[in-house]
Amino acid sequence: MRWLMFPNRFIIFITFTSLSSHFIHGTVEECRSSMYPPEGPTFKGNVSWFTLDLDLPPSDRWSHVIKEKKPELFAMIQAIRDLAGGFFHGKLIGLVDKELPLIVDTLPYPFNEEIKGISAVSGIPLGEVVLFNIFYEVFTVCTSVIAEDLKGNIYHARNLDFGLFMGWDKKNQTWTITEKLKPLVVNVDFHRKNRTVFKSTSFAGYVGMLTGIRPKEFTLTMNERFNLDGGYIGILEWILGQRDGMWMSFLTRSVLENATSYEDAKNQLAQTKLLAPAYFILGGNQTGQGCVITRTRINTLDIWEIALYLGRWYVLETNYDHWEEPFFLDDRRKPAMKCMNQTTQANINLQTIYNVLSTKPVLNKLTAYTSLMEVSSGKLESYLRACPNPCTPW
Ligand SMILES: *[C@@H]1O[C@H](CO)[C@@H](O)[C@H](O)[C@H]1NC(C)=O
Ligand SMILES: *[C@@H]1O[C@H](CO)[C@@H](O)[C@H](O)[C@H]1NC(C)=O
Ligand SMILES: *[C@@H]1O[C@H](CO)[C@@H](O)[C@H](O)[C@H]1NC(C)=O
Ligand SMILES: *[C@@H]1O[C@H](CO)[C@@H](O)[C@H](O)[C@H]1NC(C)=O
Ligand SMILES: *[C@@H]1O[C@H](CO)[C@@H](O)[C@H](O)[C@H]1NC(C)=O
């Protein structure tokens, strides 16, 4: 289990000191316009749709997705193995294969059964599928925004940035894991009794949710919250046997599956004990319904809501508490807000939000996809992204 105690931030520190001199003078560009419909060098492709039937036994639900994405899933797992090979003289994967299967049965139903099903169908060892699922809980940096237009329509959009410090490909100037992740991005329409319950943009092989919409009711995204008070202690505690918190992306999925309104979702997201800190960005279907919930493991520090009477027609979250300055090497907030302000409430819609999310460094080399959601029409559109040079690595 020792590898899990290896503090993330130490890796981040080392990498910062070795990479920062190359990248500190990153690219901050003028706000983009006319980026929609997506095309050109920052558009890498559409995301394909799958239907997932929640009435099937959990172990069978993902079979059709995994069968289609098997080669891409293998390529990703191999890249993780290669990266892990550098730790503890290559013993890391041995530990993963031996120890992590033991925790699958401690994970809540139906996630445990879905993960076992994915392992069985793909032939990838159970421990490695578990690792793949834990990954996203801890390495996701993002930008999420909810905005209200003058007619009271609520829009919710995000960039999913993933793979920070996980293998830098010098030749292609890309992050190795980010590139391997892009072909795994899928849109999933979760059905019950042959009707949509919610829709999500996710990764094949991953059972939690980071981005989703319940048409006509609410929209939800999750961003990682780095926190000095040991964000990953909860995950370690789980593995060691103290299991009273909820995995963040399992909560997100469970809320998408079961909550029936903005208020219901907000309460569940604010009150459930978690394994690690997080930001939940939640949009509703009525004026004023959009908020950023800043979570510690135990409680909620703040709920920051759209407030038209204060002139606050959008809320925007990257990976820092909104009342504090972002980390100086990673300020995607100011550029994004600058572009939101320039767009103005009168001109906000999914197209103009796509422009904001296409502006560097809001768009950067970690950006795997951009999702656009409109609750009133139930629309979820996602696009794979690329960020050719000159482009900031995060
Ligand atoms: C993506 O989808 C749009 C709309 O369906 C289509 O016009 C476009 O050609 C697709 N692009 C690629 C690269 O597949
Ligand atoms: C680097 O880019 C080239 C050309 O796009 C591609 O063929 C190759 O697979 C990439 N290498 C990696 C490691 O992704
Ligand atoms: C499911 O819904 C689709 C269209 O919404 C319909 O064509 C199909 O017959 C339905 N299937 C069942 C089993 O009810
Ligand atoms: C908004 O959501 C609530 C709760 O889910 C629902 O009762 C209501 O009909 C929705 N309103 C609209 C305009 O869709
Ligand atoms: C955007 O506008 C808001 C509200 O007027 C203001 O508080 C904020 O400082 C502005 N941000 C930027 C980066 O322009």
Side-chain angles (χ1 to χ4, degrees):
M1 289 302 147
R2 229 181 67 205
W3 63 275
L4 269 170
M5 287 185 230
F6 197 75
N8 260 302
R9 258 161 285 275
F10 185 57
I11 302 175
I12 289 176
F13 175 73
I14 295 184
T15 322
F16 260 131
T17 49
S18 58
L19 285 181
S20 58
S21 58
H22 297 281
F23 295 131
I24 218 161
H25 306 290
T27 319
V28 178
E29 61 179 1
E30 290 300 308
C31 299
R32 301 303 305 252
S33 59
S34 309
M35 296 297 286
Y36 192 96
E39 56 178 17
T42 65
F43 172 55
K44 209 179 149 86
N46 293 316
V47 177
S48 46
W49 279 97
F50 292 86
T51 299
L52 184 140
D53 184 357
L54 289 167
D55 294 319
L56 286 177
S59 56
D60 298 342
R61 289 175 185 168
W62 292 98
S63 302
H64 57 305
V65 183
I66 299 306
K67 276 183 193 137
E68 190 165 325
K69 292 289 183 179
K70 205 166 152 176
E72 291 85 357
L73 199 52
F74 266 88
M76 166 62 122
I77 295 283
Q78 190 53 48
I80 297 175
R81 282 193 191 130
D82 292 345
L83 274 180
F87 290 95
F88 307 107
H89 314 287
K91 290 197 187 107
L92 179 55
I93 280 293
L95 271 176
V96 166
D97 287 339
K98 196 162 133 261
E99 306 287 348
L100 284 186
L102 304 177
I103 75 157
V104 82
D105 286 317
T106 72
L107 297 176
Y109 181 90
F111 307 109
N112 50 1
E113 294 299 319
E114 289 186 11
I115 287 175
K116 283 190 209 167
I118 289 166
S119 168
V121 171
S122 63
I124 294 169
L126 186 55
E128 293 173 34
V129 180
V130 174
L131 179 69
F132 183 73
N133 273 270
I134 292 179
F135 246 40
Y136 300 112
E137 300 274 340
V138 296
F139 282 117
T140 315
V141 289
C142 308
T143 303
S144 291
V145 60
I146 300 181
E148 178 171 338
D149 71 9
L150 290 173
K151 296 193 203 101
N153 292 314
I154 312 277
Y155 306 104
H156 187 162
R158 75 122 83 233
N159 275 359
L160 190 291
D161 301 352
F162 182 83
L164 187 58
F165 305 127
M166 286 194 250
W168 177 249
D169 180 341
K170 282 205 188 86
K171 189 162 132 274
N172 285 8
Q173 298 275 298
T174 52
W175 295 102
T176 308
I177 297 289
T178 312
E179 295 311 303
K180 297 283 184 226
L181 191 61
K182 288 175 189 174
L184 289 175
V185 178
V186 288
N187 287 325
V188 188
D189 191 339
F190 287 78
H191 277 208
R192 201 179 275 136
K193 300 202 167 45
N194 200 25
R195 297 188 52 179
T196 297
V197 179
F198 71 100
K199 299 191 281 189
S200 174
T201 298
S202 191
F203 308 115
Y206 180 55
V207 302
M209 295 292 129
L210 302 170
T211 305
I213 179 170
R214 264 179 90 98
K216 310 233 184 261
E217 293 178 357
F218 63 83
T219 52
L220 176 60
T221 58
M222 188 183 91
N223 289 11
E224 185 186 347
R225 180 167 179 255
F226 307 111
N227 195 286
L228 292 179
D229 75 12
Y232 311 134
I233 297 288
I235 291 170
L236 185 62
E237 282 178 0
W238 184 286
I239 290 167
L240 297 178
Q242 186 190 324
R243 303 193 173 116
D244 57 348
M246 181 92 164
W247 295 80
M248 292 74 69
S249 66
F250 293 172
L251 175 61
T252 313
R253 167 151 166 207
S254 152
V255 165
L256 282 165
E257 226 173 290
N258 302 313
T260 53
S261 69
Y262 174 76
E263 291 301 334
D264 182 17
K266 191 158 99 177
N267 288 337
Q268 291 190 38
L269 294 166
Q271 287 164 16
T272 308
K273 194 174 169 196
L274 298 175
L275 289 188
Y279 300 104
F280 295 116
I281 301 90
L282 177 69
N285 64 7
Q286 283 165 44
T287 176
Q289 291 188 334
C291 66
V292 175
I293 303 172
T294 302
R295 285 292 318 256
T296 70
R297 291 168 62 197
I298 312 293
N299 59 10
T300 292
L301 291 183
D302 181 76
I303 298 181
W304 188 41
E305 209 152 29
I306 288 177
L308 297 178
Y309 60 96
L310 296 174
R312 190 156 72 226
W313 55 275
Y314 70 88
V315 287
L316 187 142
E317 178 58 51
T318 59
N319 300 93
Y320 305 93
D321 297 346
H322 71 83
W323 58 92
E324 284 182 358
E325 282 294 303
F327 182 44
F328 75 102
L329 282 176
D330 179 30
D331 187 4
R332 287 161 285 127
R333 182 206 292 168
K334 264 192 226 91
M337 287 182 71
K338 187 183 91 183
C339 297
M340 288 298 288
N341 289 359
Q342 273 184 25
T343 304
T344 73
Q345 189 185 8
N347 290 313
I348 205 70
N349 54 41
L350 292 185
Q351 286 87 329
T352 51
I353 295 178
Y354 188 81
N355 292 336
V356 175
L357 293 177
S358 302
T359 301
K360 298 164 193 170
V362 185
L363 178 76
N364 57 69
K365 286 196 184 280
L366 292 170
T367 308
Y369 68 78
T370 298
S371 291
L372 307 173
M373 298 186 278
E374 182 181 56
V375 72
S376 61
S377 64
K379 192 186 281 175
L380 164 65
E381 293 176 9
S382 293
Y383 301 99
L384 300 180
R385 304 307 303 263
C387 195
N389 283 340
C391 178
T392 39
W394 56 77

